[in-house]
Amino acid sequence: MGRCSYGFSATILFFILHMPSAYLAWDENLNHQDAYSPAMDGFGISQSYREHSQEILQMAKREETFDWLKHIRRRIHENPELGYEEFETSAIIRSELEKIGVKYRWPLAETGVVAFIGSGAPPFVALRADMDALPIQEAVEWEHKSKIPGKMHACGHDAHVTMLLGAAKILQERQHMLQGTVVLIFQPAEEGRGGAKRMIKDGALENVEAIFGIHVSSSYPTGVFASRPGPLMAGCGFFKAIVTGKGGHSGIPQHAVDPILAASASVVSLQQLISRESDPLDSQVVTVAALNGGNAFNVIPDSVTISGTFRAFSKENFYRLKQRIEEIIVGQSLVHRCTSTVDFLEREYPFDLPTVNDKDMYDHMSKVAVDLVGTDNLKVISPEMGAEDFSFYLEIIPGAFFFIGMKNETYGSIHVEHSPFYTIDENVLSLGAAIHVAVAERYLNDAKSKVTYSSGAVFSQ
């Protein structure tokens, strides 16, 4: 500590003795920030925050809580439901919320649920879980295998719902700690059906100023959190084009107009969107995944169908790709004397925009993750070409999305998402519930602290 001059010390003493009552009230409020004191350790992490995060984690790991989490997850896993069909899943959520005394709104987007815990007053922070399953036949033989043929929770959404219900249970126990309101969003139809968009339209983000979400991942060991500031996942869209010519005998092609040739030229030209029109340092993808036309060796068909996907990490590049895909297919069709129509299937499969983490919200969630699992278990990763409709929330309010590792060879949780062999290490359930709670509590406390600090002009941050 450096020495103060007598004159400076006298000035401080005069100020304290003559401090207006408003500043004294500010000081009193600061001293009543409950147990969340701002004491900092050498790493810049609040010791009090760490202690509270560990306390929350221990609550989530209690034997009775962990058993309850596993029971809920297995019930949901046994009865998978596709997008906008999550009626039983929604009923389970509402039943469990009612048991613990949590108020909710329902339905939003047909099957969605939005619950509220806390003071009912600002600030409002949201936590989100998706509910839908996939049209996949489960290949894992175990006691709680899917009972619905051709449907499976192969992307971990059963775990996501369970974690958020676990968070609701803990938050309700700790609601006296909440300096604001936590909004729990249980969303349908994440898998390419635009569920987030419809939840927003129905008012899921009303009054909410920040949002956080997590997704289990077999890419990282159980207990590891992984994310990055800025672009995390790509925007994703699909297209289906029909190229129409004039069918005929393959031995006399001059009397036909060959749509296969036009479609083939389109496929080759589409690849040049990436190799010659895109910045090599800004990853983008255009993939033609299906080319269907004709069913005989000696007949030129009347039409060919081209189907595929396109992805980019910025909204600008995403819509540029969309425009150029249509221009290329229509243009190449005309060059080869064909006509074409391009459908981007937005009604059936709404576009997922790029998922872009707000830096401040990413920093906030990172600090909580470090408090829970330590610095070695927080990974900064490269952007991924997968897509998430959590992006629609991030278009409206700041937020952050993290992956939570659950890779564990002992439990067989080593398969990628959308695999019929997909399995979850259920030990991740407690950690997922804990980070939801800790992120929300700390956000509300920090937001409240900023208001308290800024209530006096001299002491604004």
Side-chain angles (χ1 to χ4, degrees):
M1 296 290 290
R3 295 182 180 181
C4 291
S5 69
Y6 172 78
F8 183 68
S9 299
T11 300
I12 293 175
L13 180 60
F14 176 85
F15 179 77
I16 293 173
L17 291 174
H18 295 81
M19 185 181 294
S21 59
Y23 296 148
L24 290 174
W26 170 85
D27 187 63
E28 183 180 356
N29 288 335
L30 181 61
N31 290 332
H32 286 81
Q33 293 289 314
D34 56 57
Y36 285 104
S37 64
M40 308 296 285
D41 65 18
F43 297 97
I45 301 168
S46 167
Q47 183 63 32
S48 180
Y49 277 135
R50 183 185 291 115
E51 291 170 355
H52 275 267
S53 294
Q54 288 299 313
E55 178 183 304
I56 291 165
L57 182 57
Q58 291 310 309
M59 292 178 71
K61 286 184 172 181
R62 289 179 304 198
E63 183 176 358
E64 63 272 22
T65 302
F66 183 49
D67 289 344
W68 177 80
L69 290 169
K70 289 190 293 184
H71 173 70
I72 295 295
R73 185 254 161 173
R74 292 170 180 181
R75 281 181 64 192
I76 296 171
H77 188 87
E78 288 178 347
N79 296 281
E81 298 168 300
L82 304 182
Y84 300 119
E85 299 174 3
E86 307 96 333
F87 299 105
E88 178 62 25
T89 305
S90 181
I92 291 172
I93 292 167
R94 300 194 311 273
S95 174
E96 294 302 325
L97 291 174
E98 289 168 2
K99 288 177 185 177
I100 59 179
V102 173
K103 296 180 180 179
Y104 61 84
R105 285 178 57 202
W106 169 83
L108 291 83
E110 298 194 34
T111 58
V113 181
V114 175
F116 308 89
I117 303 175
S119 67
F124 289 79
V125 61
L127 307 169
R128 175 269 207 170
D130 38 14
M131 305 189 298
D132 53 325
L134 287 158
I136 294 174
Q137 178 64 44
E138 183 168 6
V140 182
E141 297 298 333
W142 68 305
E143 184 181 356
H144 301 283
K145 181 179 179 179
S146 170
K147 296 178 180 179
I148 312 299
K151 298 179 184 179
M152 177 191 177
H153 270 292
C155 199
H157 297 188
D158 51 342
H160 300 166
V161 171
T162 302
M163 291 169 176
L164 197 53
L165 281 174
K169 193 178 185 72
I170 298 170
L171 283 165
Q172 187 72 347
E173 290 184 48
R174 297 170 61 87
Q175 61 178 315
H176 62 284
M177 304 281 289
L178 301 179
Q179 301 187 44
T181 307
V182 182
V183 180
L184 310 177
I185 298 175
F186 296 90
Q187 176 207 308
E190 187 276 330
E191 295 288 354
R193 299 294 306 281
K197 231 177 164 180
R198 290 191 57 182
M199 290 292 283
I200 293 168
K201 183 179 178 181
D202 287 353
L205 292 185
E206 186 176 349
N207 298 318
V208 175
E209 62 183 51
I211 188 167
F212 300 92
I214 55 177
H215 197 302
V216 293
S217 174
S218 59
S219 297
Y220 313 99
T222 300
V224 168
F225 289 100
S227 189
R228 70 186 310 277
L232 175 65
M233 283 179 283
C236 173
F238 301 102
F239 64 90
K240 180 179 181 180
I242 298 176
V243 180
T244 303
K246 178 183 175 183
H249 196 289
S250 60
I252 45 175
Q254 69 273 22
H255 296 305
V257 178
D258 191 348
I260 291 181
L261 180 60
S264 299
S266 296
V267 172
V268 172
S269 295
L270 286 173
Q271 305 312 303
Q272 296 171 15
L273 283 177
I274 307 303
S275 67
R276 286 297 174 268
E277 296 186 23
S278 300
D279 184 344
L281 301 179
D282 185 359
S283 298
Q284 299 170 46
V285 165
V286 175
T287 294
V288 174
L291 183 65
N292 302 302
N295 53 20
F297 293 143
N298 62 344
V299 177
I300 294 171
D302 286 319
S303 64
V304 173
T305 300
I306 306 170
S307 303
T309 183
F310 60 104
R311 303 179 183 226
F313 285 113
S314 76
K315 193 173 179 179
E316 178 184 4
N317 286 337
F318 180 78
Y319 282 104
R320 183 188 63 82
L321 285 178
K322 175 180 179 292
Q323 177 183 340
R324 291 292 289 134
I325 287 168
E326 184 168 15
E327 289 174 351
I328 284 173
I329 293 174
V330 171
Q332 287 291 348
S333 297
L334 289 173
V335 167
H336 292 86
R337 299 179 296 146
C338 294
T339 60
S340 61
T341 59
V342 183
D343 184 358
F344 289 94
L345 310 172
E346 292 179 75
R347 182 182 296 274
E348 186 178 358
Y349 302 104
F351 294 155
D352 285 336
L353 298 177
T355 302
V356 182
N357 282 335
D358 178 86
K359 184 182 184 304
D360 290 341
M361 298 303 103
Y362 166 83
D363 289 344
H364 171 79
M365 203 164 181
S366 294
K367 291 172 185 175
V368 175
V370 169
D371 285 350
L372 287 171
V373 297
T375 54
D376 289 343
N377 290 312
L378 175 65
K379 307 297 182 186
V380 180
I381 59 176
S382 299
E384 299 188 0
M385 278 295 171
E388 237 292 347
D389 79 352
F390 191 80
S391 58
F392 288 104
Y393 301 115
L394 298 180
E395 278 280 294
I396 298 173
I397 56 175
F401 193 80
F402 272 55
F403 295 109
I404 177 171
M406 54 92 188
K407 182 178 181 179
N408 189 326
E409 293 187 7
T410 301
Y411 294 101
S413 52
I414 57 175
H415 300 282
V416 297
E417 291 78 5
H418 297 208
S419 163
F421 296 97
Y422 189 78
T423 305
I424 286 175
D425 175 4
E426 291 181 318
N427 288 299
V428 78
L429 300 175
S430 295
L431 186 55
I435 194 168
H436 274 315
V437 175
V439 160
E441 276 195 18
R442 182 164 176 173
Y443 179 88
L444 293 179
N445 182 74
D446 286 351
K448 197 73 171 180
S449 296
K450 289 178 182 178
V451 172
T452 304
Y453 272 84
S454 62
S455 62
V458 173
F459 294 100
S460 61
Q461 287 186 321

Short mmCIF file of all heavy atoms in Angstrom, two decimals, residues 64-87:
data_model
loop_
_atom_site.label_atom_id
_atom_site.label_comp_id
_atom_site.label_asym_id
_atom_site.label_seq_id
_atom_site.Cartn_x
_atom_site.Cartn_y
_atom_site.Cartn_z
N GLU A 64 -30.46 -38.44 -3.01
CA GLU A 64 -31.88 -38.42 -3.36
C GLU A 64 -32.13 -37.57 -4.61
O GLU A 64 -33.00 -37.89 -5.44
CB GLU A 64 -32.72 -37.90 -2.19
CG GLU A 64 -32.44 -36.46 -1.77
CD GLU A 64 -31.33 -36.34 -0.74
OE1 GLU A 64 -30.49 -37.26 -0.64
OE2 GLU A 64 -31.31 -35.32 -0.03
N THR A 65 -31.34 -36.49 -4.77
CA THR A 65 -31.50 -35.64 -5.96
C THR A 65 -31.01 -36.36 -7.21
O THR A 65 -31.67 -36.34 -8.26
CB THR A 65 -30.74 -34.31 -5.78
OG1 THR A 65 -31.22 -33.65 -4.61
CG2 THR A 65 -30.93 -33.40 -6.99
N PHE A 66 -29.84 -37.01 -7.11
CA PHE A 66 -29.29 -37.72 -8.25
C PHE A 66 -30.21 -38.85 -8.68
O PHE A 66 -30.45 -39.07 -9.88
CB PHE A 66 -27.90 -38.25 -7.91
CG PHE A 66 -27.21 -38.94 -9.06
CD1 PHE A 66 -27.13 -38.35 -10.31
CD2 PHE A 66 -26.63 -40.19 -8.89
CE1 PHE A 66 -26.49 -38.98 -11.37
CE2 PHE A 66 -26.00 -40.84 -9.93
CZ PHE A 66 -25.92 -40.24 -11.17
N ASP A 67 -30.76 -39.60 -7.71
CA ASP A 67 -31.70 -40.68 -8.04
C ASP A 67 -32.94 -40.14 -8.74
O ASP A 67 -33.46 -40.74 -9.68
CB ASP A 67 -32.09 -41.44 -6.77
CG ASP A 67 -30.96 -42.29 -6.22
OD1 ASP A 67 -29.99 -42.53 -6.95
OD2 ASP A 67 -31.04 -42.69 -5.04
N TRP A 68 -33.40 -38.98 -8.28
CA TRP A 68 -34.57 -38.35 -8.88
C TRP A 68 -34.26 -37.91 -10.31
O TRP A 68 -35.07 -38.11 -11.23
CB TRP A 68 -34.98 -37.15 -8.02
CG TRP A 68 -36.13 -36.35 -8.56
CD1 TRP A 68 -37.46 -36.65 -8.47
CD2 TRP A 68 -36.04 -35.10 -9.26
NE1 TRP A 68 -38.20 -35.66 -9.07
CE2 TRP A 68 -37.36 -34.70 -9.56
CE3 TRP A 68 -34.98 -34.28 -9.65
CZ2 TRP A 68 -37.64 -33.51 -10.24
CZ3 TRP A 68 -35.25 -33.10 -10.33
CH2 TRP A 68 -36.57 -32.73 -10.62
N LEU A 69 -33.08 -37.34 -10.53
CA LEU A 69 -32.67 -36.92 -11.86
C LEU A 69 -32.63 -38.12 -12.82
O LEU A 69 -33.13 -38.04 -13.96
CB LEU A 69 -31.29 -36.25 -11.82
CG LEU A 69 -31.21 -34.88 -11.16
CD1 LEU A 69 -29.75 -34.48 -10.95
CD2 LEU A 69 -31.92 -33.83 -12.00
N LYS A 70 -32.03 -39.21 -12.39
CA LYS A 70 -31.97 -40.39 -13.24
C LYS A 70 -33.37 -40.92 -13.55
O LYS A 70 -33.64 -41.33 -14.70
CB LYS A 70 -31.13 -41.48 -12.56
CG LYS A 70 -29.65 -41.18 -12.50
CD LYS A 70 -28.84 -42.38 -12.06
CE LYS A 70 -29.13 -42.74 -10.60
NZ LYS A 70 -28.27 -43.86 -10.14
N HIS A 71 -34.23 -40.92 -12.57
CA HIS A 71 -35.60 -41.41 -12.77
C HIS A 71 -36.33 -40.56 -13.82
O HIS A 71 -36.97 -41.11 -14.74
CB HIS A 71 -36.36 -41.37 -11.44
CG HIS A 71 -37.81 -41.68 -11.56
ND1 HIS A 71 -38.29 -42.94 -11.86
CD2 HIS A 71 -38.91 -40.86 -11.45
CE1 HIS A 71 -39.61 -42.91 -11.92
NE2 HIS A 71 -40.01 -41.67 -11.68
N ILE A 72 -36.22 -39.25 -13.71
CA ILE A 72 -36.88 -38.36 -14.67
C ILE A 72 -36.32 -38.57 -16.07
O ILE A 72 -37.07 -38.73 -17.05
CB ILE A 72 -36.69 -36.88 -14.27
CG1 ILE A 72 -37.39 -36.59 -12.94
CG2 ILE A 72 -37.20 -35.95 -15.37
CD1 ILE A 72 -38.89 -36.72 -13.00
N ARG A 73 -35.00 -38.61 -16.18
CA ARG A 73 -34.38 -38.76 -17.49
C ARG A 73 -34.80 -40.08 -18.16
O ARG A 73 -35.09 -40.13 -19.36
CB ARG A 73 -32.85 -38.68 -17.35
CG ARG A 73 -32.10 -38.72 -18.68
CD ARG A 73 -31.43 -40.04 -18.92
NE ARG A 73 -31.09 -40.25 -20.32
CZ ARG A 73 -30.38 -41.26 -20.76
NH1 ARG A 73 -29.90 -42.14 -19.91
NH2 ARG A 73 -30.15 -41.41 -22.05
N ARG A 74 -34.86 -41.14 -17.39
CA ARG A 74 -35.22 -42.44 -17.95
C ARG A 74 -36.68 -42.49 -18.38
O ARG A 74 -37.02 -43.13 -19.39
CB ARG A 74 -34.88 -43.54 -16.94
CG ARG A 74 -33.38 -43.69 -16.73
CD ARG A 74 -33.03 -44.60 -15.58
NE ARG A 74 -31.57 -44.69 -15.42
CZ ARG A 74 -30.96 -45.43 -14.50
NH1 ARG A 74 -31.70 -46.15 -13.63
NH2 ARG A 74 -29.64 -45.46 -14.42
N ARG A 75 -37.56 -41.85 -17.63
CA ARG A 75 -38.97 -41.77 -18.04
C ARG A 75 -39.10 -41.07 -19.38
O ARG A 75 -39.84 -41.53 -20.27
CB ARG A 75 -39.79 -41.00 -16.99
CG ARG A 75 -40.16 -41.76 -15.76
CD ARG A 75 -40.98 -40.87 -14.83
NE ARG A 75 -42.26 -40.47 -15.43
CZ ARG A 75 -43.06 -39.53 -14.95
NH1 ARG A 75 -42.68 -38.83 -13.87
NH2 ARG A 75 -44.20 -39.25 -15.53
N ILE A 76 -38.39 -39.97 -19.53
CA ILE A 76 -38.45 -39.22 -20.78
C ILE A 76 -37.81 -40.02 -21.91
O ILE A 76 -38.32 -40.05 -23.04
CB ILE A 76 -37.77 -37.85 -20.63
CG1 ILE A 76 -38.52 -37.00 -19.60
CG2 ILE A 76 -37.68 -37.12 -21.97
CD1 ILE A 76 -37.81 -35.72 -19.22
N HIS A 77 -36.70 -40.70 -21.60
CA HIS A 77 -36.00 -41.47 -22.63
C HIS A 77 -36.86 -42.62 -23.15
O HIS A 77 -36.83 -42.92 -24.36
CB HIS A 77 -34.69 -42.04 -22.07
CG HIS A 77 -33.84 -42.69 -23.13
ND1 HIS A 77 -32.93 -41.99 -23.90
CD2 HIS A 77 -33.78 -43.97 -23.57
CE1 HIS A 77 -32.35 -42.82 -24.76
NE2 HIS A 77 -32.85 -44.02 -24.57
N GLU A 78 -37.63 -43.23 -22.30
CA GLU A 78 -38.48 -44.35 -22.70
C GLU A 78 -39.63 -43.91 -23.62
O GLU A 78 -40.17 -44.74 -24.36
CB GLU A 78 -39.07 -45.03 -21.46
CG GLU A 78 -38.08 -45.84 -20.67
CD GLU A 78 -38.70 -46.44 -19.42
OE1 GLU A 78 -39.82 -46.04 -19.05
OE2 GLU A 78 -38.08 -47.32 -18.82
N ASN A 79 -39.98 -42.65 -23.56
CA ASN A 79 -41.14 -42.16 -24.32
C ASN A 79 -40.76 -40.96 -25.18
O ASN A 79 -41.24 -39.84 -24.95
CB ASN A 79 -42.28 -41.80 -23.37
CG ASN A 79 -42.80 -43.01 -22.61
OD1 ASN A 79 -43.56 -43.81 -23.15
ND2 ASN A 79 -42.36 -43.15 -21.36
N PRO A 80 -39.89 -41.16 -26.17
CA PRO A 80 -39.43 -40.04 -27.01
C PRO A 80 -40.55 -39.53 -27.90
O PRO A 80 -41.38 -40.30 -28.40
CB PRO A 80 -38.31 -40.66 -27.84
CG PRO A 80 -38.68 -42.11 -27.92
CD PRO A 80 -39.32 -42.45 -26.60
N GLU A 81 -40.55 -38.20 -28.09
CA GLU A 81 -41.58 -37.57 -28.93
C GLU A 81 -40.91 -36.58 -29.88
O GLU A 81 -40.00 -35.84 -29.48
CB GLU A 81 -42.61 -36.85 -28.06
CG GLU A 81 -43.35 -37.80 -27.12
CD GLU A 81 -44.15 -37.05 -26.07
OE1 GLU A 81 -43.55 -36.29 -25.29
OE2 GLU A 81 -45.40 -37.21 -26.05
N LEU A 82 -41.37 -36.55 -31.12
CA LEU A 82 -40.79 -35.66 -32.12
C LEU A 82 -41.29 -34.22 -31.92
O LEU A 82 -42.13 -33.96 -31.08
CB LEU A 82 -41.12 -36.16 -33.52
CG LEU A 82 -40.70 -37.60 -33.84
CD1 LEU A 82 -41.05 -37.95 -35.28
CD2 LEU A 82 -39.22 -37.82 -33.59
N GLY A 83 -40.74 -33.32 -32.73
CA GLY A 83 -41.05 -31.91 -32.60
C GLY A 83 -42.52 -31.59 -32.67
O GLY A 83 -43.22 -32.07 -33.57
N TYR A 84 -43.00 -30.78 -31.74
CA TYR A 84 -44.39 -30.37 -31.59
C TYR A 84 -45.32 -31.53 -31.21
O TYR A 84 -46.54 -31.36 -31.22
CB TYR A 84 -44.90 -29.68 -32.86
CG TYR A 84 -44.12 -28.45 -33.22
CD1 TYR A 84 -43.45 -28.37 -34.44
CD2 TYR A 84 -44.01 -27.37 -32.34
CE1 TYR A 84 -42.70 -27.24 -34.78
CE2 TYR A 84 -43.26 -26.24 -32.67
CZ TYR A 84 -42.61 -26.19 -33.89
OH TYR A 84 -41.88 -25.08 -34.22
N GLU A 85 -44.73 -32.68 -30.86
CA GLU A 85 -45.53 -33.82 -30.38
C GLU A 85 -45.17 -34.17 -28.94
O GLU A 85 -45.55 -35.22 -28.43
CB GLU A 85 -45.28 -35.04 -31.27
CG GLU A 85 -45.66 -34.85 -32.72
CD GLU A 85 -45.28 -36.03 -33.60
OE1 GLU A 85 -44.76 -37.03 -33.05
OE2 GLU A 85 -45.49 -35.95 -34.82
N GLU A 86 -44.47 -33.27 -28.24
CA GLU A 86 -43.92 -33.59 -26.92
C GLU A 86 -44.98 -33.45 -25.80
O GLU A 86 -44.76 -32.83 -24.77
CB GLU A 86 -42.72 -32.67 -26.61
CG GLU A 86 -41.64 -32.66 -27.68
CD GLU A 86 -41.82 -31.50 -28.64
OE1 GLU A 86 -42.98 -31.05 -28.81
OE2 GLU A 86 -40.83 -31.02 -29.21
N PHE A 87 -46.15 -34.04 -26.01
CA PHE A 87 -47.26 -33.88 -25.07
C PHE A 87 -46.98 -34.59 -23.74
O PHE A 87 -47.23 -34.03 -22.67
CB PHE A 87 -48.56 -34.39 -25.70
CG PHE A 87 -48.94 -33.63 -26.94
CD1 PHE A 87 -48.77 -34.19 -28.19
CD2 PHE A 87 -49.44 -32.34 -26.86
CE1 PHE A 87 -49.09 -33.50 -29.34
CE2 PHE A 87 -49.78 -31.63 -28.01
CZ PHE A 87 -49.60 -32.21 -29.25
#
